[in-house]
Amino acid sequence: MGKMEVERVTTGWAARDPSGILSPYTYTLRETGPEDVHIRIICCGICHTDLHQTKNDLGMSNYPMVPGHEVVGEVLEVGSGVSKFTVGDIVGVGCLVGCCGGCSPCEKDLEQYCPKKIWSYNDVYIDGQPTQGGFAKATVVHQKFVVKIPEGMAVEQAAPLLCAGVTVYSPLSHFGLKKPGLRGGILGLGGVGHMGVKIAKAMGHHVTVISSSNKKREEALQDLGADDYVIGSDQSKMKELADSMDYIIDTVPVHHALEPYLSLLRLDGKLILMGVINNPLQFLSPMVMIGRKMITGSFIGSMKETEEMLEFCKEKGLSSIIEVVKMDYVNTAFERLEKNDVRYRFVVDVQGSNLEA
């Protein structure tokens, strides 16, 4: 008589429809394959993208959906072909869990630009099953998309680095902006923006926060260490800062004018877009022609960049400013995030939560 196989299941909190409201959901996890790592989830950050996805703001959501792509956990089991990780390791999983491995971006270790990349959730894995994210007890991930959390780094501090941290680090690295002495601007002071200030300052840059109001001035200057703070509508101050910046990291996730910020860039300056915006952005072409300025974008980061960024943050002693919550508070956290009422990243204490409640 054959042995009866028992399916591996786990419980997470899922959205069932575009209301975005999360509630307990039990689903099947695949068995640990030769290249897989089975992870018990300790905590998971909440990103603005989680809000977009659960509410179907991008028009491509599939339900039930367990969000979360800033995952930190402990290795429970590794496949026979896994050499980088062992049981008990503290590891992280970011936005991606798969790629084709054969395209030009993949050959350059830039998996985030693979046309067949597989998202950590709201996607379909190579076995045909839906991917589910980090608001859950456990996950199984291919070793290529798992990173080791540096020893001594607090798990709840590491979580936001896996998206917000690498999203800022990647363009600074790629565009040659890691050298000290540069002058940069951070437009928008949310989860990504606050890490932008910290990482840029740690690289030795003069950093100006550009915001829509004075609400975060004291925090930006005193808590985050920014050198200057300007309100975008303050024409006098903006004129004073014209042609002064080597780059601006634009984290604003809603429609906004680009011209005021292009005017701040010096010759060959770069406006780097990071906010996911559904409406077309406009600008006058002379704004970029005169000054040979560049409007470009950057998208999360590669696995190699994620590892580099974690080591950089450990070396510089960088941490996120976070608010730790239990899973039963997650719907309230999403409501607050929608109102920009968080300083600066929510992190869900998954292991300390009752996920069946």
Side-chain angles (χ1 to χ4, degrees), residues 120-137:
S120 300
Y121 67 89
N122 194 34
D123 209 341
V124 179
Y125 198 62
I126 56 175
D127 61 1
Q129 296 302 307
T131 59
Q132 301 291 8
F135 293 4
K137 288 182 178 179

Side-chain angles (χ1 to χ4, degrees), residues 36-282:
D36 286 339
V37 181
H38 182 201
I39 302 165
R40 176 183 67 83
I41 296 173
I42 298 173
C43 62
C44 184
I46 302 179
C47 174
H48 213 280
T49 301
D50 298 326
L51 198 58
H52 286 310
Q53 293 280 24
T54 56
K55 290 182 174 292
N56 197 28
D57 290 343
L58 305 178
M60 58 181 72
S61 296
N62 299 293
Y63 303 98
M65 179 200 302
V66 178
H69 60 220
E70 297 178 343
V71 185
V72 178
E74 178 185 3
V75 175
L76 294 178
E77 180 186 20
V78 297
S80 58
V82 174
S83 56
K84 288 172 60 178
F85 308 102
T86 59
V87 172
D89 284 348
I90 302 301
V91 296
V93 179
C95 299
L96 302 179
V97 294
C99 65
C100 78
C103 66
S104 177
C106 284
E107 289 174 354
K108 296 174 183 174
D109 291 320
L110 295 169
E111 310 86 6
Q112 73 272 37
Y113 299 113
C114 171
K116 296 181 180 178
K117 60 184 167 289
I118 302 174
W119 299 105
S120 300
Y121 67 89
N122 194 34
D123 209 341
V124 179
Y125 198 62
I126 56 175
D127 61 1
Q129 296 302 307
T131 59
Q132 301 291 8
F135 293 4
K137 288 182 178 179
T139 188
V140 177
V141 181
H142 190 285
Q143 65 172 337
K144 179 178 178 59
F145 296 93
V146 180
V147 293
K148 194 170 287 188
I149 301 301
E151 191 173 342
M153 183 178 283
V155 291
E156 65 274 10
Q157 290 290 344
L161 300 179
L162 298 168
C163 174
V166 74
T167 293
V168 171
Y169 183 90
S170 177
L172 292 174
S173 177
H174 173 73
F175 291 113
L177 300 171
K178 290 170 66 176
K179 57 191 176 188
L182 297 179
R183 300 179 75 89
I186 305 295
L187 177 55
L189 198 59
V192 175
H194 101 283
M195 284 310 306
V197 175
K198 288 191 159 223
I199 289 174
K201 284 298 298 178
M203 290 176 175
H205 299 178
H206 180 284
V207 179
T208 298
V209 170
I210 309 164
S211 191
S212 59
S213 73
N214 253 324
K215 287 180 186 176
K216 300 179 182 178
R217 178 184 293 272
E218 187 174 333
E219 298 165 29
L221 299 174
Q222 296 184 13
D223 299 341
L224 300 178
D227 299 285
D228 201 357
Y229 187 99
V230 60
I231 299 171
S233 59
D234 184 343
Q235 294 185 12
S236 174
K237 180 70 171 176
M238 291 287 280
K239 190 172 182 180
E240 181 185 319
L241 292 174
D243 301 313
S244 68
M245 298 183 188
D246 297 290
Y247 67 88
I248 294 173
I249 291 177
D250 182 347
T251 72
V252 177
V254 296
H255 189 274
H256 57 289
L258 299 183
E259 278 95 343
Y261 313 111
L262 288 168
S263 70
L264 303 181
L265 296 173
R266 55 175 51 148
L267 177 66
D268 291 326
K270 296 171 180 64
L271 177 61
I272 305 168
L273 303 178
M274 293 184 177
V276 177
I277 303 168
N278 289 331
N279 300 316
L281 298 177
Q282 295 180 323

